Amino acid sequence: MYAALWRALPGPTWVRAVQATALLALVVVVCFRWVFPWLEPLVPFTEVTVGP
Amino acid sequence: MGRRLVGWAGEVLVTLGVLLLLFVAWQLWWTDVVAERDAARVVEQLRADFAGGPVADGDGAPATDLPGDAVALLHVPRFGADWVRPVLEDTGPEVLATGVGHYVGTAGPGEVGNFAVAGHRTTWGRPFHDIDRLRAGDRVVVETAEHVYVYAVTGHEVVPPTDVAVIAAVPDDPGAAPEQPLLTMTSCHPRYSAAQRYVVHAALAQTLDPADLDTALASATEG
C-alpha cells in the first residue's frame, strides 16, 4: 500500500519525501479537526453530567 | 499474490493502530490545548464585561462569540490560587469543551435552590481534575458582574450517571421546596471513565461586592 503510494508520487526522492510528509500532515489535521471530534461521543470516556 | 495481500493487510492494521494512538494523543493532549486557550479567552472577555459595570439580568446584550451564554466566573482556591474558569449556560459537549457548564433549569449564582455545574475531570482543559481534593469547608467562589458569592463545601458523593437528584433544588430530595442557596459540581469518576459521577455539594456562606473578590480569594487560599 505505502510502497505503491511512494511509487505513484512524482519527482526525485526528496520531492517524494516532501509530498509524503505533507500528506501525513494533512491526515493528522483532518483527524484532529473533524474525525476525532465526531468520534469522541461514540467512545464516551469523558461524560461528566448527570442525566436520565 | 497471497503474500502481497498479507502485506497490505499488515499495513492496514499498523495504520489503524497508529490512528488509534493519534486519537489518544488528541484526546489527552490536544483537547487540553484547545480548551485552555478558549477558556482563557472567555475569562478575559467576561472580565472586560464585568468591568463595564452591572448588566441587567437576562436582557443585557449577549457577549459576542461566546459558546453559549456566559453566566459567571468560577474560582476554586483549592485548585490553585489563580485558578479560574468561565461558567457557561448549558452542559452540551461544545460548552464543556470551553469551560464549566451550568445545568439548564437549575438556580443561578447565589439564588435559592441549586446552582449546578458540570466540568471535565480529564481532557478538554480538565477543569474539575482535582474535584476529589475538595474538603468540607473549602471555598468555591462564583463571581458575577454584580456580586461575589462564596460557597463552602459541605460534602461529596459518588453516584451513578443517571442520578439526576443530585442537581435537584434540594439535592437528593427532588420535589422538595428549596430554602437555601446551594452549589453542586459534577464530574466523571473514576478518572478516564464515565462509569460514575463525582458530585460535590456546597452552601452559600457569604455574598460580597465584586471589589472584595481578591480579599475573599486570599483568605480562602490561606484557610
Side-chain angles (χ1 to χ4, degrees):
Chain A
M1 183 168 71
Y2 292 113
L5 180 69
W6 183 260
R7 282 195 296 274
L9 293 173
T13 304
W14 73 269
V15 175
R16 291 182 189 198
V18 169
Q19 292 174 86
T21 310
L23 281 175
L24 185 68
L26 184 71
V27 169
V28 171
V29 168
V30 168
C31 282
F32 271 40
R33 294 209 54 164
W34 292 286
V35 180
F36 292 162
W38 164 82
L39 188 67
E40 188 184 27
L42 306 177
V43 276
F45 299 120
T46 55
E47 290 180 358
V48 293
T49 56
V50 288
Chain B
M1 189 64 202
R3 279 183 71 111
R4 214 158 137 209
L5 266 181
V6 169
W8 276 61
E11 284 185 356
V12 168
L13 290 176
V14 169
T15 305
L16 286 176
V18 170
L19 285 176
L20 204 62
L21 287 178
L22 203 61
F23 178 72
V24 172
W26 174 83
Q27 183 84 85
L28 294 185
W29 167 70
W30 186 249
T31 60
D32 282 347
V33 173
V34 173
E36 274 163 28
R37 191 188 58 200
D38 288 353
R41 187 173 52 82
V42 176
V43 165
E44 206 167 300
Q45 201 170 342
L46 265 182
R47 283 202 167 128
D49 286 356
F50 288 178
V55 183
D57 206 352
D59 32 272
T64 48
D65 72 20
L66 290 177
D69 288 328
V71 179
L73 288 171
L74 183 70
H75 305 260
V76 184
R78 174 69 76 182
F79 297 166
D82 298 325
W83 191 96
V84 59
R85 286 291 188 284
V87 184
L88 306 168
E89 189 64 21
D90 203 359
T91 48
E94 301 84 18
V95 166
L96 293 175
T98 300
V100 172
H102 174 231
Y103 284 92
V104 172
T106 66
E111 287 176 11
V112 170
N114 195 356
F115 177 59
V117 296
H120 279 292
R121 185 104 180 259
T122 55
T123 74
W124 293 109
R126 50 187 196 179
F128 288 173
H129 185 258
D130 295 328
I131 193 170
D132 56 331
R133 289 181 57 215
L134 285 169
R135 296 289 173 264
D138 278 1
R139 291 325 200 216
V140 175
V141 179
V142 179
E143 177 191 359
T144 67
E146 295 92 355
H147 296 290
V148 169
Y149 302 101
V150 182
Y151 292 85
V153 171
T154 51
H156 79 274
E157 54 186 326
V158 173
V159 301
T162 51
D163 190 0
V164 290
V166 296
I167 61 164
V170 179
D172 300 323
D173 191 2
E179 291 172 354
Q180 236 192 322
L182 303 173
L183 173 147
T184 294
M185 303 156 77
T186 72
S187 198
C188 63
H189 186 77
R191 277 175 200 163
Y192 304 103
S193 163
Q196 293 171 306
R197 296 291 178 271
Y198 197 100
V199 180
V200 167
H201 296 294
L204 189 65
Q206 273 180 301
T207 302
L208 304 169
D209 285 330
D212 297 326
L213 175 69
D214 291 336
T215 325
L217 288 177
S219 67
T221 309
E222 283 159 23

